[in-house]
Every structure is written in C-alpha cells, then in structure tokens.
C-alpha cells in the first residue's frame, strides 16, 4: 500500500487546537480507515444518536467513538509525529458467551534510529517516531487494530454488542470507547514483541519490553534469558513482574491492598495461596476471617460438592470452620450458601480444572454472608492430602482470609506489578497485560471489566506509567 | 531422638547385652524410617485410604519430644462413605520367650463421640506380614493381647495419653514374633457413627520385672545413678 492510497483512506483526523487543551503534552492520532465500502466504519445502517455520539449511521458512530478515544490518548501522549492507526471491523473469535472484542499491535517497529535510548533494541513504531522526532515510516500507519464486527450477534456474546455512546453508560453492553483505549495502548507500546510460546525474539533482537519484564523464580529479566527460560517464564503465574520505575512508583496510589489466603499449621501446606475472589458475599477485609480448615466430603470419590444441604456429619465437621469444597455440578453461590447454612465461616472452592491463577467465583446471592475464594486444582489437592490427617472436627490446618499488610492487589511484595502469565499460555493475552489480580481493575487487563478506565494515568490507572517506562 | 521416660526404658538400658530377647523401643519421631527398621503398613479397610501417618500436632501433641512425634490412624483409613476400617501397623520381627512386657501409650481427641478401637495382636510365625486381606481377617495375628475400647463405646477410648502394659504369654522358648497394632472400627466413614483419630506412642517390649530379680539390688543402684546424672 503506497502513501497516496493511505491518504485517501484517512477519513478522520484529530485536529489539534480544535478545542482548547490544558495541555502540556499532546499528540495527533490519525485513524486510517481500512474497511471496505459499506462495512465497518463505512456501514450505512441508520442509527439514533446515543450517549453523546451524534452519528446517524453505524459507521459514523464507530468513527466518532474512535475519535473520542483517540482524543483521550492524544491528550495523554507527547509526540511531534502524528500516530497513524490502521483500523477496521472484522469477524474475530466468537463464542456464545465470550468473544474477542478487539486486537491491536504495532505495525512498525524500529531500532538504532538517531537518539534511540538503547542500541540493538526494538521500539514500537509510534514510540520510535516520538523519540526520533521525525516519521521514519514515511506516513505509513504504525499501529494495526481490529474490532469484532459480529459482537452481539447470534453465537457471539449474544445481546452484548458494542455500546457506541461516548458517556460510558454502557449498561450490559461493551463500551467501545474503553475497548479502543485498551487496544490503542497495545499499539503504542503495551505489548510483548518476543514470542512467549517459543521464547524467540523478533529477528533475534530484544525489545524494550524485555528489559522491564522480570521473572521472580528465575531472577532474570527477559533480556537475560534463553528462549527456553522465556517459555517457562511466560506461564509462571504471578511470578512475572514489571520492573519499570514509573509503574512501581505510581502503583501505591492506584492499587488497593491485596486479598490473600494464608495457610498455617501442618508444615506441608504452610504458605500464601493464589486466590480468585467471589462476585457474591462480603468483600475480604483487613479484619479478615480466620479459622481451621475442614473438608466437605459428600461424594464417593472423596469430593465435596455441597450442592445439597450438608449431612449432620459434614455440618458438624465444618461448623465454625472454613470449609473446603470442590468446584462442579452446581453454581458457586449454592455451594457457599450450603456451607454457610451448616455453620461455616468461610469457603475455599478447589478448582476441578488445572491452571493458574484461579479465576474468580461468579454468581450472585445477596443472602451469602461469608467470604469465599477459589484456589487452584493443584493447591486444592495439596490441601486435601494434608487434610487426610484430620480428626472428625479438627485438622490442625488454619486459613486466614484477609488483606495483605505488605502486598497490593496486582503487585508483588516489593510493589512491582504482576504481569498476566497464566498456565496454560494464552496467545494474544499472556505477557502483554497486567495480571487479573489487580484491584481496582486496570485498563490493560486481558478481560474487559465493568469499570472501564477513561483516565490513563495514576491515581486511576497504570497504562501511561508503563508507557513512560518504555520511553514515552 | 526422643527419650522414653518410663521405668522400663531404664531397666532396658541396664540390661543391654544380657537379655536374649530382642528389645524394642519406638517413639515415632519420624515414621518414614519405620519400613527400613522392619515395620509394615497394611490397610485392609473397605476402599482403603490412608495408612498410619505421622502424628498431627494440630489435633493433639505427643506425650513428650516433638509435638508430632507419634503415629496416628483416623477415619480416612477408609475412602468409603460407610464401611469398616482394619488398618494394620506391624512391628519388626522380635525374638521373644514370653514374659516380656509390652507397653504403649494411646489416646484419641478430647470430646470425641465417634468411637475408636485399637487392638494389639501377636503372630508367632516368624517374619510374617500375613493379616489376610479382608476387613475381618487376622491371618497369622490371631492372638489378641489387648484391646482398647473393645466394644466401641463412644467415650470409651482415653482422651489423654494413657499407658497400657501387657505381658507376652509364654512362647515355649525363643520365638520370632511380630506385634500387630490394628485400628479396627466398624460403621465408619464420612456417613458412619464410629471412627475418629487415635495416636500411638512409646511402644516398648522389655523383660518383665520378675526376670530382673536374679540380677539383684545392684541393678537398682545403677538406675539411681543414671537418674542423677540426667
Ligand atoms: Zn489486550
């Protein structure tokens, strides 16, 4: 594609100065419309204005949302070179209950340009141009972004399509502006250029990302690792961190204290466990819940599903205790409610599928009054083995659910952000997002959350501090 | 190593090298060493689960020494929701004549209403570990020496460490024999009424005081001096 064609495709340009900015920093972001006539940004379907978006066709409303999101990024960034984002709507991965909302990444990368802070190191194209203070790509787009054209249709997060309003009042729909902000973030620099699945670096050369990515187990940054070590690090759940100073310094202003599960008692199980928190029941508080752990056993194979009211023996075992139950058959809130009715003061749900970190516990029941968390299958099995040394009503194993005195939700004990490194590897998500344990939710987590950020810097978010670590 | 502070232990110390019977002193400091020392674990419970395991200090502590330095068996001996536990712990092979005193400590959890039972059995059949393979089979261990809470009475098992002693019957000359500690509970499992958790500690087999008589009073003088030194 030559430059002339590109110019014809430019349908939207953020004109700086069109509105007064209280600005220090600013950058021009140009969206390059890569959709064919009649589709995506060019879809002529008539629509009603919604949430401050006055476009009268579907395509125009999409473009308006783009411009709105581009404005937010433009005010945050500082670059003398316009940033061109080649964008379109395409059918992306879909299922009935989940879908890829969008994807984005750098279209251009650069290294060893005049003024590059590090030699022999890849920089995302937009950042390289900013540092060079000139366009090394002759007007070519430097970012590629796609958004799901089928979202909300049958078998594609049915009924959960994009909300095109600009006011964030998206209800049960997916806020397109939030998704755009997220995807632009990837393109601007928030993405790993090293293949986490093979450990191979792009053209064998590290990127700035690899200098800041650090593995707490290997005690090495990704630049120092072999390919095999990077592969292992890419699935080292909650042991992969970001060492950049801007993020670490801003994190205490953004993140809350981390909910945590500490196990004490029998030596074989002592430690801090990875948890997923529940969307129902009380929040885990600093005061916390501490009690002995006892298992529910209501299946002949030794599991405890707690899908029915507990028998007298099971109820007696968990009264006043934190109950260990198994995932499966019924919803989480039913299990927790049954344990609560039997007198438990908390619940640990052991996953029945391998993988870490443990996801949260979905569901709702306003009558649940005890805290519950999910733990991994491996940790559940480890606990169950130790719990075989119990009596009818005692185990000698104690659990404390509380807020960490030393750790914030989403960072390690030294306050450095955890990066998303689930096991197994998730192509397109792993290593290029903040970890899901961050609380409050961050823009650059791999899953869209209720509270979509419109503010990219501390104390609201850590996306921009991370870009600053890269050189923005 | 945990010292067993019973009179029997001091007697045994004094007698070292003079008795023909094999002495046995086991404090269960680390049960992973038991198989190497000749002990055997056999679980004949319905849908067998856990074998005897290192004591869990969170339930109760050992009589002395490290808090977990005892051996335990519990309701997880069976994986069945409702079944029978017959979970064996066999001693090393001992050379016995009869007349020796077997001593052990045992207890369950305070306040437990799920009855426990411990049998101590003897085989005179050399280095055998034949206990059959059913919940009610005894194999070579048909001779019952002692039973703690034989009728599975809910509060019939001691809830604090209690010492039990039993004299080995006459074996008509030096005989290779093994002791069988059998955690035996019916109507148990998660849905059963019986079976909780027991500990076993300080198992010793020593000659009876009557066989010491011929050694005279000097022995007791030695014992006293040993005591003063410690
Ligand atoms: Zn993303």
């Amino acid at each position: 594609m030559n430059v002339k064609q590109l110019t014809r495709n430019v349908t939207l340009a953020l004109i700086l100065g069109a509105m007064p900015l209280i600005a220090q920093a600013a950058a021009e972001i140009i969206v390059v419309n890569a959709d064919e006539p009649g589709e995506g940004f060019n879809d002529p379907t008539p629509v009603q204005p919604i949430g401050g978006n006055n476009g009268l066709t579907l395509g125009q409303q999409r473009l308006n949302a783009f411009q709105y999101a581009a404005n937010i990024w433009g005010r945050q960034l500082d670059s003398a070179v316009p940033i061109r984002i080649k964008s379109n709507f395409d059918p992306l991965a879909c299922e009935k209950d989940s879908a890829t909302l969008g994807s984005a990444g750098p279209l251009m990368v650069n290294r060893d340009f005049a003024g590059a802070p590090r030699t022999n190191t890849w920089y995302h194209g937009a950042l390289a141009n900013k540092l060079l203070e000139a366009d090394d790509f002759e007007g070519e787009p430097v970012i590629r972004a796609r958004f799901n054209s089928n979202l909300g249709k049958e078998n594609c997060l049915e009924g959960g399509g994009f909300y095109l309003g600009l006011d964030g009042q998206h209800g049960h729909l997916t806020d397109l502006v939030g998704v755009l902000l997220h995807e632009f973030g990837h393109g601007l620099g928030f993405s790993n250029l090293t293949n986490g699945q093979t450990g191979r670096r792009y053209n064998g050369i590290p990127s700035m990302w690899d200098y800041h990515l650090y593995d707490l187990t290997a005690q090495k940054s990704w630049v120092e690792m072999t390919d095999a070590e990077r592969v292992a690090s890419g699935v080292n759940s909650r042991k992969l961190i970001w060492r950049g100073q801007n993020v670490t310094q801003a994190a205490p202003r953004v993140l809350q204290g981390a909910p945590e599960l500490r196990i004490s008692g029998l030596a074989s199980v002592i430690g801090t466990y990875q948890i997923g928190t529940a969307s129902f029941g009380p929040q885990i508080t600093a005061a916390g819940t501490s009690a002995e752990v006892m298992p529910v056993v209501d299946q002949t194979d030794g599991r405890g599903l707690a899908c029915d009211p507990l028998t007298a023996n099971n109820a007696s075992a968990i009264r006043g205790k934190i109950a260990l139950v198994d995932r499966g058959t019924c919803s989480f809130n039913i299990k927790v409610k049954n344990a609560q009715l039997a007198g438990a003061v908390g619940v640990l749900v052991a996953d029945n599928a391998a993988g870490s970190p443990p996801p949260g516990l979905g569901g709702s029941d306003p009558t649940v009054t005890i805290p519950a968390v999910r733990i991994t299958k491996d940790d559940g099995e480890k606990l169950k083995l130790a719990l075989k040394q119990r009596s009818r009503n005692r185990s000698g194993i104690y659990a404390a659910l509380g807020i960490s005195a030393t750790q914030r939700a989403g960072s390690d004990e030294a306050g450095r952000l955890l990066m998303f490194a689930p096991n197994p590897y998730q192509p397109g998500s792993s290593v290029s997002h903040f970890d899901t344990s961050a609380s409050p939710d961050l823009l650059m987590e791999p899953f869209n959350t209720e509270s979509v950020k419109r503010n990219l810097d501390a104390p609201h978010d850590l996306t921009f501090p991370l870009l600053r670590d890269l050189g923005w | 190593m945990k010292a067993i502070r019973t009179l029997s232990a001091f007697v045994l110390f004094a007698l070292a090298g003079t008795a023909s019977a094999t002495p046995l002193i086991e404090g269960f400091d680390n049960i992973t060493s038991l198989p190497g020392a000749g002990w055997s674990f056999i679980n004949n419970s319905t849908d067998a689960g856990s074998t005897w395991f290192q004591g869990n200090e969170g339930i109760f502590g050992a009589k002395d020494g490290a808090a977990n330095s005892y051996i335990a068996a519990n309701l997880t001996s069976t994986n069945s929701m409702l079944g029978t536990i017959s979970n064996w712990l066999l001693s090393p092979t001992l050379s016995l004549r009869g007349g020796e005193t077997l001593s052990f400590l045992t207890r369950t959890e305070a306040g437990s209403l799920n009855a426990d039972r411990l049998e101590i059995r003897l085989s005179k059949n050399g280095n055998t570990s034949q206990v059959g393979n059913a919940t009610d089979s005894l194999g070579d261990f048909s001779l019952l020496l002692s039973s703690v809470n034989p009728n599975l009475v809910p509060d019939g098992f001691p809830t604090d460490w209690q010492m039990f002693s039993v004299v080995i019957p006459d074996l008509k000359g030096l005989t290779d024999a093994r002791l069988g500690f059998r955690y035996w509970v019916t109507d148990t499992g998660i849905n059963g009424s019986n079976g909780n958790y027991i500990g076993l500690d300080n198992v010793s087999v020593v000659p009876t005081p009557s066989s010491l008589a011929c050694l005279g009073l000097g022995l007791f003088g030695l014992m006293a001096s040993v005591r003063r030194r410690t």
Side-chain angles (χ1 to χ4, degrees), chain A residues 192 318 341:
Chain A
N192 174 33
I318 66 165
L341 291 171

Side-chain angles (χ1 to χ4, degrees), chain A residues 9-282:
Chain A
N9 281 340
V10 173
T11 58
L12 187 160
L14 165 61
I15 311 299
L16 289 175
M19 53 183 162
L21 299 177
I22 314 164
Q24 354 88 331
E28 182 184 6
I29 295 182
I30 299 170
V31 177
V32 180
N33 178 351
D35 271 319
E36 300 294 324
E39 62 161 45
F41 291 120
N42 308 321
D43 191 323
T45 309
V47 292
Q48 293 295 313
I50 181 170
N53 189 335
N54 297 321
L56 294 174
T57 67
L58 185 54
Q60 187 60 47
Q61 284 201 350
R62 286 168 167 168
L63 282 171
N64 290 351
F66 257 77
Q67 173 150 24
Y68 188 83
N71 285 355
I72 292 172
W73 265 117
R75 286 196 294 274
Q76 189 72 61
L77 300 174
D78 179 9
S79 176
V81 182
I83 300 162
R84 291 186 163 80
I85 303 176
K86 184 177 172 184
S87 269
N88 68 309
F89 278 77
D90 274 336
L92 301 180
C94 272
E95 286 178 37
K96 196 171 186 340
D97 301 319
S98 66
T100 299
L101 304 173
S103 67
L107 203 51
M108 301 290 181
V109 293
N110 205 354
R111 66 181 167 91
D112 299 314
F113 48 89
R118 278 185 192 277
T119 58
N120 197 41
T121 301
W122 290 120
Y123 289 80
H124 286 63
L127 174 56
N129 279 352
K130 169 217 160 62
L131 294 169
L132 180 65
E133 298 183 11
D135 187 352
D136 231 5
F137 303 108
E138 301 173 337
E140 292 280 343
V142 291
I143 295 173
R144 182 80 174 92
R146 289 187 178 85
F147 301 88
N148 198 330
S149 57
N150 286 336
L151 198 74
K153 294 183 184 166
E154 197 180 352
N155 292 322
C156 190
L157 204 66
E158 205 167 329
F162 283 124
Y163 174 71
L164 299 178
L166 309 178
D167 56 2
Q169 304 298 311
H170 58 92
H172 70 283
L173 298 175
T174 301
D175 188 39
L176 178 60
V177 171
V179 174
L180 291 163
L181 291 172
H182 175 105
E183 298 302 342
F184 290 179
H186 283 314
L188 291 164
F190 205 116
S191 50
N192 174 33
L193 299 182
T194 296
N195 187 322
Q197 273 175 299
T198 64
R200 265 185 248 123
R201 306 187 284 205
Y202 184 63
N203 282 7
I205 292 165
S207 77
M208 271 305 286
W209 194 261
D210 299 332
Y211 281 89
H212 294 292
L213 206 58
Y214 184 84
D215 189 295
L216 293 171
T217 308
Q219 301 195 358
K220 285 180 187 174
S221 68
W222 273 35
V223 278
E224 301 167 308
M225 291 184 183
T226 63
D227 288 1
E229 286 173 327
R230 279 186 286 267
V231 170
S233 185
V235 292
N236 199 6
S237 173
R238 296 190 177 162
K239 297 286 184 194
L240 184 65
I241 62 158
W242 185 261
R243 276 207 303 188
Q245 286 199 350
N246 288 289
V247 171
T248 305
Q249 281 169 10
R253 290 192 289 142
V254 176
L255 300 176
Q256 300 166 347
E260 70 173 7
L261 166 64
R262 281 190 188 274
I263 299 284
S264 58
L266 282 183
S268 59
V269 290
I270 286 174
T272 303
Y273 285 57
Q274 293 190 11
I275 55 173
T277 52
S279 59
F280 54 89

Side-chain angles (χ1 to χ4, degrees), chain B residues 42-44 88 129-141:
Chain B
I42 300 169
N43 190 347
N44 276 345
W88 293 83
S129 57
Q130 180 53 255
V131 291
N133 38 38
T135 57
D136 58 354
S137 62
L138 301 171
D140 292 329
F141 291 78

